[in-house]
Amino acid sequence: LNISVIGDGGWGTTLAILLSNKGYNVILWSAFEENALYINRHRENLKYLPGVKIPQTLKITSSLGFCIEDAEIVIFAVPSNHLRSVAGLLGRFNIQKKIILSASKGIEENSFKRMSEVLKEVLSLKQISVVSGPNIAMEIARGLPASTVVASENESMARMLQEVLITDRLRVYTSTDVVGVETGGALKNIIAIAAGVCDGLQFGTNAKAALMVRGMLEITRLGMAMGGKKDTFFGLSGMGDLITTCLSPNSRNRTFGETIAKGGNPLEMFSKSIMAIEGVRTAKATVHLALKYNVEMPITEQVYQIVFNKKDPTSAVDALMTRLAKTE
Amino acid sequence: LNISVIGDGGWGTTLAILLSNKGYNVILWSAFEENALYINRHRENLKYLPGVKIPQTLKITSSLGFCIEDAEIVIFAVPSNHLRSVAGLLGRFNIQKKIILSASKGIEENSFKRMSEVLKEVLSLKQISVVSGPNIAMEIARGLPASTVVASENESMARMLQEVLITDRLRVYTSTDVVGVETGGALKNIIAIAAGVCDGLQFGTNAKAALMVRGMLEITRLGMAMGGKKDTFFGLSGMGDLITTCLSPNSRNRTFGETIAKGGNPLEMFSKSIMAIEGVRTAKATVHLALKYNVEMPITEQVYQIVFNKKDPTSAVDALMTRLAKTE
């Protein structure tokens, strides 16, 4: 099986290593020639996956044509704000018969589209599968046990991709709820920023757990309005991913929130970060989606206020905790 | 309003302080005269809530008659294995007109009854309300923001108790799903032991989040078979409580699991602990309930094997992570 992985970030590189170690013929694409050359020579992705050995069998290239020419499966793992432009570069190749799997998480900033919707539109394809779950890349790269979810409207396609991705350390579940799996993976980053704020203010685990649960409930409300299924949000790709992101000391979105609570300037940090802080862009898009679908999202609203309107984090969390008590 | 709090553990003491600070006339009952005398004199519950000032207005006694004589509300906050015997002591007093609120979490070991069922039986009462949620006592005692759920089959009773408990730091939600609220609060302790094992083995946040979500799903399956409502399990008293217990460095059940993973002897630790490790007893009862209601509970089963049959924690978690992949 020939597999292309588009994007040499932590998650793309991890997937490429995992698939290469399974014996597939994998080519990893980097947008930058110097990165491709460095990884090729040193067998390490120093920037995004430091300390992890890259197998000799894994090919790395910055040539998109070389990467996807013979691929039967193309996996997209680029930040949400680059997906449209990168996918656009594939237009001149024949991709109609390839299987496309999106591993990107996010909502496009101005179109409010999910990643698979962006790919469908740009690539003129009818079917895009997605993979999403509680997946801190570095942990999987280091061989720690984990689980993830592959979703496709076509159940047999989901099962085929499950076989491709599964290892004895990575459990892969299938789903036909593409909307639910994808929105859970995107929106949890907003809640992770809020959880980070809670950490930074040292509000304790009672408050953090309450924020996570209430956050999941507002994601579920919006996700259901968008067509997702309720149970998906309480599964691995929903609550599971949210928990991992809110717990991990390495989560960029959580750390971003923590730093804000300790006095950091959110927009300055955002523009300076070399890694994607997806929750910032997603918060902006989600405030619009909440309006469009007429769904109440108090935590998203407060995160938006903190990040874009310099609202004081303490009063934002206070606003959440002292909302009128009501029936759960 | 006169309120009795039965049980001077961390949670009982915290509730008594909170209610006393709200201006109610509160009496806290300790099973041990020397504890009552010590707390009275030093205004500190050194054993279960060290470092927290106990207000002068809060009365402490080891006389059950004095404690409950004038009480309109009696709150039970004793460990699950003592609830039946302590409640039995109330038989000689007239309690038919008092409002009974259970703050105890657990499943009775041999009867497999919920705490409110035990109270109903022993006190010959028709209605018992319960309070449960993501509530590490020490955090609430220190004034950190938190939330909880009061459940009663009678909605106006739940709203009345909500008014009694609410403060500007403790948000109180109401529910009519007593079974759901109570089973969530009891069963999460089993999953917390598993999460602790995961911590002790340094399996990372991907694995821990997966365990928590799959654990919540098996609790939900059993809880629904017992009559609870699905949504309750994904709310504050279900998932919220589970998250807090699995996150808190101070959670006794989580720490118990962590210590086992590092080579500790579970039954020896259990018998030596001065604080209740509710998850151990609950695991035993739940294995029976799972059989009775014919519900698959793989995580509970593995926790039981680790604690009671000396199963090696690594192979137990391996058994969970390598179960056949299937649809979520």
Side-chain angles (χ1 to χ4, degrees):
Chain A
L1 203 57
N2 297 322
I3 304 176
S4 303
V5 178
I6 309 293
D8 66 343
W11 189 215
T13 307
T14 297
L15 286 171
I17 293 172
L18 179 149
L19 294 166
S20 183
N21 284 340
K22 277 189 78 174
Y24 301 125
N25 182 25
V26 184
I27 309 181
L28 175 64
W29 180 77
S30 172
F32 305 98
E33 194 174 2
E34 66 268 27
N35 285 11
L37 289 172
Y38 183 96
I39 298 172
N40 239 331
R41 179 168 313 151
H42 298 279
R43 291 285 131 190
E44 182 185 4
N45 186 340
L46 194 64
K47 211 164 166 185
Y48 296 115
L49 209 63
V52 176
K53 180 105 192 98
I54 289 176
Q56 290 295 339
T57 48
L58 175 59
K59 299 187 193 76
I60 301 107
T61 182
S62 59
S63 155
L64 211 47
F66 174 72
C67 182
I68 69 156
E69 195 172 17
D70 297 323
E72 284 120 324
I73 300 175
V74 179
I75 302 177
F76 281 90
V78 296
S80 66
N81 56 328
H82 294 310
L83 186 68
R84 184 175 290 271
S85 58
V86 172
L89 300 174
L90 269 75
R92 53 204 155 103
F93 306 106
N94 183 11
I95 50 147
Q96 295 304 316
K97 286 189 177 163
K98 299 184 194 301
I99 293 162
I100 309 290
L101 176 64
S102 167
S104 296
K105 291 178 182 177
I107 303 280
E108 202 179 31
E109 203 168 345
N110 294 310
S111 72
F112 315 137
K113 289 195 162 128
R114 293 176 281 108
M115 297 295 98
S116 69
E117 290 180 305
V118 172
L119 288 173
K120 266 187 192 172
E121 190 180 307
V122 178
L123 303 175
S124 307
L125 288 173
K126 285 223 176 61
Q127 187 180 277
I128 304 284
S129 303
V130 303
V131 56
S132 190
N135 301 142
I136 298 280
M138 184 54 96
E139 293 186 6
I140 295 178
R142 286 171 51 212
L144 293 172
S147 58
T148 197
V149 180
V150 169
S152 173
E153 287 160 21
N154 176 344
E155 204 177 327
S156 62
M157 172 65 76
R159 275 201 297 269
M160 192 279 273
L161 288 167
Q162 174 186 42
E163 284 306 311
V164 170
L165 287 167
I166 202 163
T167 73
D168 62 342
R169 301 273 84 187
L170 181 68
R171 293 292 88 192
V172 182
Y173 292 83
T174 61
S175 168
T176 53
D177 182 14
V178 176
V179 179
V181 168
E182 215 170 15
T183 47
L187 270 53
K188 53 103 199 197
N189 283 322
I190 306 168
I191 310 305
I193 294 178
V197 169
C198 199
D199 286 344
L201 297 173
Q202 298 190 283
F203 270 2
T205 49
N206 293 342
K208 186 171 175 177
L211 201 67
M212 287 164 68
V213 166
R214 302 299 297 178
M216 196 65 228
L217 292 177
E218 71 181 53
I219 289 177
T220 305
R221 282 197 297 271
L222 178 64
M224 284 173 72
M226 289 169 72
K229 291 185 191 126
K230 196 174 193 175
D231 282 351
T232 304
F233 295 97
F234 296 119
L236 290 168
S237 63
M239 198 70 218
D241 193 3
L242 185 138
I243 292 172
T244 292
T245 313
C246 290
L247 253 68
S248 173
N250 304 317
S251 155
R252 301 192 284 270
N253 292 284
R254 197 204 59 76
T255 309
F256 177 71
E258 191 172 9
T259 315
I260 292 173
K262 290 175 174 166
N265 179 328
L267 291 178
E268 192 182 305
M269 282 155 57
F270 179 64
S271 61
K272 279 191 182 158
S273 172
I274 64 152
M275 302 238 205
I277 303 170
E278 291 287 1
V280 171
R281 270 190 291 271
T282 309
K284 205 171 190 177
T286 304
V287 165
H288 286 274
L289 286 171
L291 274 175
K292 180 178 167 187
Y293 288 99
N294 194 24
V295 171
E296 229 186 312
M297 300 190 79
I299 299 176
T300 300
E301 176 64 29
Q302 293 299 325
V303 169
Y304 180 86
Q305 295 295 342
I306 292 173
V307 175
F308 293 99
N309 292 339
K310 294 185 180 167
K311 182 161 183 176
D312 171 55
T314 311
S315 55
V317 177
D318 263 357
L320 290 171
M321 293 303 293
T322 55
R323 277 164 61 88
L324 273 186
K326 51 185 179 182
T327 309
E328 247 243 292
Chain B
L1 203 59
N2 297 321
I3 304 176
S4 303
V5 178
I6 310 293
D8 66 342
W11 188 216
T13 307
T14 297
L15 286 171
I17 294 172
L18 179 148
L19 293 166
S20 184
N21 284 340
K22 277 190 77 175
Y24 302 125
N25 181 25
V26 184
I27 309 182
L28 175 64
W29 179 78
S30 172
F32 306 100
E33 194 175 2
E34 66 270 27
N35 286 10
L37 290 172
Y38 184 95
I39 298 173
N40 240 329
R41 179 168 314 150
H42 299 278
R43 291 285 132 190
E44 182 185 3
N45 187 338
L46 195 64
K47 211 165 167 183
Y48 297 114
L49 209 63
V52 175
K53 180 105 192 93
I54 290 176
Q56 290 295 338
T57 48
L58 176 59
K59 300 186 192 75
I60 301 105
T61 183
S62 60
S63 155
L64 211 46
F66 173 71
C67 182
I68 69 156
E69 195 173 18
D70 297 322
E72 284 120 323
I73 299 175
V74 179
I75 303 177
F76 282 90
V78 297
S80 65
N81 56 329
H82 294 310
L83 187 68
R84 184 175 290 272
S85 59
V86 171
L89 300 173
L90 268 73
R92 51 204 157 103
F93 305 105
N94 182 13
I95 50 145
Q96 295 303 316
K97 286 191 179 161
K98 299 186 194 297
I99 293 162
I100 310 289
L101 176 64
S102 166
S104 295
K105 291 177 182 178
I107 303 280
E108 201 179 34
E109 202 168 344
N110 294 310
S111 72
F112 315 136
K113 289 195 162 127
R114 293 177 282 109
M115 297 295 99
S116 70
E117 290 180 305
V118 172
L119 289 173
K120 267 187 191 172
E121 190 179 309
V122 178
L123 303 174
S124 306
L125 289 173
K126 286 222 174 62
Q127 187 182 277
I128 304 284
S129 303
V130 303
V131 56
S132 190
N135 300 143
I136 300 281
M138 185 54 97
E139 293 187 7
I140 295 178
R142 286 171 50 212
L144 293 172
S147 59
T148 196
V149 180
V150 169
S152 173
E153 286 159 23
N154 176 344
E155 204 177 327
S156 61
M157 172 66 78
R159 275 202 297 268
M160 191 279 274
L161 288 167
Q162 174 186 44
E163 284 306 310
V164 170
L165 288 167
I166 203 164
T167 73
D168 62 342
R169 302 272 84 187
L170 181 68
R171 294 292 87 191
V172 182
Y173 293 81
T174 61
S175 167
T176 53
D177 182 14
V178 176
V179 179
V181 168
E182 215 169 14
T183 48
L187 271 54
K188 53 103 200 197
N189 283 322
I190 306 167
I191 311 304
I193 294 177
V197 169
C198 200
D199 286 343
L201 297 173
Q202 298 189 284
F203 270 3
T205 50
N206 292 341
K208 186 170 175 179
L211 201 67
M212 287 164 69
V213 165
R214 305 298 297 178
M216 197 64 229
L217 292 176
E218 72 181 54
I219 289 176
T220 306
R221 282 196 297 270
L222 178 64
M224 285 173 71
M226 290 168 74
K229 292 187 191 120
K230 194 174 195 176
D231 282 350
T232 304
F233 295 97
F234 295 119
L236 290 168
S237 64
M239 198 70 220
D241 194 3
L242 185 136
I243 292 173
T244 292
T245 313
C246 291
L247 251 69
S248 173
N250 304 316
S251 156
R252 301 192 284 269
N253 293 285
R254 197 205 58 79
T255 308
F256 177 71
E258 190 172 7
T259 315
I260 293 173
K262 291 175 172 165
N265 180 326
L267 291 178
E268 194 182 303
M269 281 156 54
F270 179 64
S271 61
K272 279 190 184 162
S273 172
I274 63 150
M275 303 239 205
I277 303 170
E278 291 287 2
V280 171
R281 271 189 292 270
T282 309
K284 205 171 190 176
T286 304
V287 165
H288 287 274
L289 286 171
L291 275 175
K292 180 177 165 189
Y293 288 98
N294 193 25
V295 171
E296 228 186 312
M297 301 190 78
I299 299 176
T300 301
E301 177 63 30
Q302 293 299 326
V303 169
Y304 180 87
Q305 295 295 342
I306 292 173
V307 175
F308 292 99
N309 293 338
K310 294 186 181 167
K311 180 158 183 178
D312 170 54
T314 311
S315 55
V317 177
D318 263 357
L320 290 172
M321 292 304 295
T322 55
R323 279 165 59 88
L324 273 185
K326 53 185 176 184
T327 308
E328 248 242 292

